[in-house]
């Protein structure tokens, strides 16, 4: 299934710095559908990066990775 970016929404703190970014993802394949909104925060970033350093493509990659991790089936 191809998962595509459909939304980016920036949240700012009282000082105007980006505090988080909501990333919307959608996918559809033969009747199966996925829709997710993930919050990307500074804790999701590699050392030395800030949310303001990232591109649209960076947010898409981070959100897809986070979605895969959150939805991975774990054995009992």
């Amino acid at each position: 299934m191809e998962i595509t970016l459909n939304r980016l929404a920036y949240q700012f703190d009282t000082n105007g710095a980006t505090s988080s970014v909501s990333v919307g993802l959608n996918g559809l394949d033969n009747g199966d559908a996925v829709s997710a909104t993930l919050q990307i925060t500074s804790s999701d970033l590699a050392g030395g990066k800030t949310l303001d350093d990232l591109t649209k493509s960076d947010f898409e990659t981070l959100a897809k990775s986070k979605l895969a991790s959150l939805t991975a089936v774990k054995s009992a």
Side-chain angles (χ1 to χ4, degrees):
M1 173 185 299
E2 182 180 357
I3 305 291
T4 58
L5 177 72
N6 71 343
R7 187 172 70 85
L8 285 177
Y10 290 75
Q11 291 79 44
F12 304 100
D13 64 19
T14 56
N15 297 320
T18 305
S19 57
S20 66
V21 178
S22 296
V23 181
L25 300 173
N26 277 339
L28 182 63
D29 184 40
N30 293 323
D32 295 325
V34 171
S35 179
T37 301
L38 298 118
Q39 294 292 322
I40 304 299
T41 64
S42 58
S43 65
D44 296 310
L45 307 181
K49 292 277 188 175
T50 70
L51 294 169
D52 293 319
D53 294 330
L54 303 181
T55 65
K56 177 177 73 169
S57 179
D58 294 331
F59 284 116
E60 181 176 12
T61 300
L62 279 169
K64 285 179 177 180
S65 176
K66 192 170 187 176
L67 178 64
S69 175
L70 290 170
T71 59
V73 176
K74 297 172 179 48
S75 19

